[in-house]
Amino acid sequence: MTLRATLLAALLAAGLALPAGAQSVLRVVPHADLKTLDPVAVSVSITRLHGLMIYETLFAWDSALQPKPQMVEAWSVSDDQLTWRFTLRPELRFHDGKPVTTRDVAASLRRWMLRDTVGSRLSDALARLEIIDDRSFALVLKRPFGLMTYALGSAVGAIPAIMREEDAQSDPGRPVTTTIGSGPFRFVRDQWMAGQRVVYERNPDYRPRSEPADGLAGGRVVKVDRVEWINIPDASTVAAALQSGEIDIWEQVAGDLVPVVSRQRGLVVDRLNGLGTQGMLRPNSLFPPFNDPRARLALAYIVDQADTMAAGFGEPRWWRRCEAYFVCGTAYASEAGTEPYARPNLERARALLAEAGYRGERLVFITTNDIPWIGRMAEVAAAGMRRAGMNIDLQYNDWGTVITRQPRKDPPDQGGYNIFATGASGATMFHPLTNIGTSMSCDGRNWAGWPCDEEAERLRVAFIEASDEAERRRFAEALQARLAVVQPYRLLGQADVPYARRAAVEGVLAAPVMVFWNIEKR
């Protein structure tokens, strides 16, 4: 079959016929297929993108990752920093026409605090949530929580999306399947074709803020009638579709095709933001050998960041070495404690594995080729682990299966795993409050992998509760040094995952994730 025939078949399968009427349609190939519709239930990037299309949050991060009011019109905090009062903007309405009230907010925040690591920190400080009237509510604290607005605007992990009360009151352990938000787009359920297409339409009743769009903050002005996410698995087919104009945006360009796409007239390849993505190798700390921090530390002596980054992202201009858990180039960046393993040392790794009691047992390494850079990084990491004497069973699944397996605490030989490779946005990882991998709480509520270290968690909590920025930076430095030893995950480096668009597409915002308001087609 010719490339053109393959492209046409993919587009027809995705249902790409134009809707009736002269609509402006933005067609996007996202990095993964949408499987879970609830952005509070999972911390998966594609679900977060979906959540930002149809839901809103009380605050939102701007391009500098500073929180700005979104659904909130006004707020105040008492002199003792224990009572925060908020008033919602008028005319907020859900897609079914019902007004957004503080009952919806209260139910949504309670559910989020049960599901998210950032939310759980707010919950720990919370004495009570008071509904004052339909538009005003208060959060009364047991102790100060200076990162309040930052947390309520979180764009990482499970986002604090405001849902209808009846949806938010459902079983917090089960993803919500309704899709009624109050955001700038409506989810078109009857045109959703799992594995092929996701469709959103402009919400005509949405009233954006008056401020200019800035990151996720400001006015979410929709300038197209319809957004279609098209799932085309073959990267070469996506590149051809972008060149011919069948699609407008490729959210994550396959690394080996970046040079090809960059040379095409009428196409633009660019970075979405300045913080990029942090690559990570996440071991399961519930089971041997990685329940022993010495085995996790061995990974730091095995894996060469340059090898994994080059495999995943190609040309050096798209990646850099970085041993800072809180992202190189940011306020909390430090590489303290990482000097011993700046370069691989397999002899030291083998010694650490022996001390941890590893004797060549099979280790299940789950990965995917659905997101090419993840699969390639996994292959390189697995090869290094084998050279160090580790018995690696590299298991390839579709991305949906990988993210379903990640939260499972079953033994590796019963559907669980020992390790996986992934990445997280720099906007997620640069801050100790939101860095999902450095929570080492011993209560089992932290992110998949569940590492436990009381000292690291003490330092992280001290950072969160610090009274000023200078104090936060001191705790961040101490936390980095501790993490360098106990290794909640092996840092694989820092990269930009470039996106591509047709030159006629304008208004893509610098933001933690790609959003589709403010974009127009000339």
Side-chain angles (χ1 to χ4, degrees):
M1 181 180 286
T2 66
L3 177 60
R4 180 66 179 172
T6 302
L7 172 61
L8 289 173
L11 296 176
L12 288 171
L16 278 183
L18 270 171
Q23 288 188 311
S24 174
V25 182
L26 185 73
R27 294 194 175 92
V28 180
V29 174
H31 69 277
D33 183 35
L34 179 67
K35 294 183 180 294
T36 303
L37 300 175
D38 182 352
V40 184
V42 296
S43 57
V44 179
S45 294
I46 191 67
T47 299
R48 193 176 311 131
L49 265 65
H50 160 79
L52 290 168
M53 295 288 278
I54 66 172
Y55 295 107
E56 288 201 289
T57 51
L58 297 172
F59 288 78
W61 294 349
D62 66 14
S63 57
L65 304 183
Q66 296 301 306
K68 298 295 170 62
Q70 190 61 35
M71 299 179 79
V72 166
E73 179 182 59
W75 78 100
S76 62
V77 59
S78 61
D79 291 342
D80 62 5
Q81 304 293 302
L82 294 180
T83 300
W84 292 72
R85 179 167 174 157
F86 305 91
T87 300
L88 298 176
R89 294 168 56 207
E91 300 183 0
L92 293 175
R93 290 192 174 275
F94 289 110
H95 300 155
D96 61 3
K98 295 179 181 177
V100 178
T101 73
T102 49
R103 293 187 301 278
D104 304 299
V105 171
S108 297
L109 291 182
R110 289 183 180 118
R111 183 169 186 264
W112 169 67
M113 288 188 285
L114 289 172
R115 300 288 309 181
D116 183 66
T117 55
V118 176
S120 70
R121 284 296 164 197
L122 174 55
S123 178
D124 290 343
L126 185 65
R128 62 187 182 276
L129 192 161
E130 296 179 351
I131 294 176
I132 299 168
D133 56 39
D134 280 353
R135 286 183 53 209
S136 298
F137 69 99
L139 296 177
V140 181
L141 307 179
K142 294 178 287 189
R143 59 180 182 273
F145 185 75
L147 298 172
M148 175 68 76
T149 58
Y150 186 84
L152 294 179
S154 178
V156 301
I159 63 174
I162 303 305
M163 301 178 171
R164 298 179 304 178
E165 181 182 22
E166 59 265 37
D167 297 330
Q169 286 182 333
S170 62
D171 182 353
R174 294 179 179 272
V176 169
T177 57
T178 55
T179 51
I180 306 298
S182 62
F185 291 94
R186 292 176 173 175
F187 179 69
V188 186
R189 182 178 288 273
D190 62 1
Q191 295 184 38
W192 178 32
M193 301 171 66
Q196 296 181 18
R197 181 179 68 174
V198 185
V199 177
Y200 303 90
E201 291 181 345
R202 182 177 63 86
N203 176 10
D205 299 322
Y206 180 73
R207 299 292 180 266
R209 296 188 67 92
S210 60
E211 302 93 336
D214 180 12
L216 302 179
R220 297 181 176 183
V221 178
V222 176
K223 299 180 180 180
V224 295
D225 298 306
R226 178 179 170 101
V227 177
E228 295 180 351
W229 291 357
I230 310 302
N231 185 34
I232 305 177
D234 180 71
S236 296
T237 304
V238 181
L242 188 66
Q243 175 65 19
S244 62
E246 278 92 348
I247 64 169
D248 303 296
I249 294 176
W250 188 0
E251 189 211 348
Q252 292 187 7
V253 182
D256 56 345
L257 289 178
V258 169
V260 176
V261 176
S262 298
R263 290 194 296 268
Q264 298 299 314
R265 179 176 298 178
L267 302 183
V268 177
V269 177
D270 202 356
R271 294 167 170 82
L272 186 62
N273 59 62
L275 294 183
T277 293
Q278 187 183 85
M280 53 200 301
L281 192 63
R282 181 71 164 186
N284 187 339
S285 298
L286 297 183
F287 302 101
F290 298 122
N291 59 336
D292 190 314
R294 290 171 294 188
R296 301 196 299 267
L297 183 58
L299 296 174
Y301 286 95
I302 291 170
V303 180
D304 188 332
Q305 290 189 349
D307 291 341
T308 57
M309 287 286 102
F313 302 98
E315 299 176 17
R317 70 188 178 109
W318 296 107
W319 58 266
R320 64 182 290 184
R321 290 179 180 271
C322 177
E323 295 286 359
Y325 277 98
F326 303 116
V327 181
C328 290
T330 70
Y332 306 123
S334 167
E335 296 182 292
T338 66
E339 296 81 3
Y341 49 79
R343 293 293 184 273
N345 184 336
L346 293 185
E347 183 179 350
R348 178 61 179 146
R350 293 186 188 105
L352 286 166
L353 289 169
E355 292 171 17
Y358 180 66
R359 300 293 182 267
E361 295 85 354
R362 181 179 73 103
L363 301 178
V364 176
F365 191 150
I366 58 173
T367 192
T368 185
N369 279 325
D370 287 359
I371 303 175
W373 56 269
I374 289 180
R376 290 169 183 160
M377 288 196 308
E379 289 173 6
V380 170
M385 294 166 74
R386 290 183 180 120
R387 287 194 295 272
M390 304 179 82
N391 179 10
I392 302 300
D393 178 8
L394 191 60
Q395 298 183 5
Y396 290 91
N397 301 115
D398 63 86
W399 183 235
T401 300
V402 171
I403 62 175
T404 300
R405 287 180 72 174
Q406 285 176 2
R408 293 179 60 175
K409 295 185 177 181
D410 306 284
D413 60 354
Q414 297 178 30
Y417 61 90
N418 294 104
I419 197 166
F420 63 87
T422 190
S425 70
T428 301
M429 308 306 274
F430 93 101
H431 199 289
L433 176 64
T434 57
N435 184 307
I436 57 175
T438 58
S439 171
M440 300 190 75
S441 161
C442 295
D443 60 6
R445 293 193 298 167
N446 49 344
W447 183 51
W450 308 282
C452 163
D453 185 77
E454 292 181 354
E455 175 61 11
E457 192 61 8
R458 183 191 69 79
L459 290 167
R460 196 174 77 92
V461 171
F463 169 93
I464 293 169
E465 295 181 351
S467 58
D468 60 59
E469 190 62 20
E471 191 177 12
R472 289 192 187 102
R473 293 191 184 197
R474 287 195 298 272
F475 281 120
E477 177 86 8
L479 176 57
Q480 162 71 32
R482 179 63 181 173
L483 296 172
V485 175
V486 297
Q487 291 283 313
Y489 58 91
R490 170 57 180 147
L491 281 162
L492 298 181
Q494 197 166 309
D496 292 302
V497 184
Y499 79 94
R501 59 177 170 84
R502 293 188 60 78
V505 173
E506 298 179 341
V508 177
L509 293 165
V513 297
M514 183 170 283
V515 294
F516 300 101
W517 56 83
N518 201 60
I519 294 178
E520 55 188 328
K521 294 171 63 175
R522 288 190 284 107

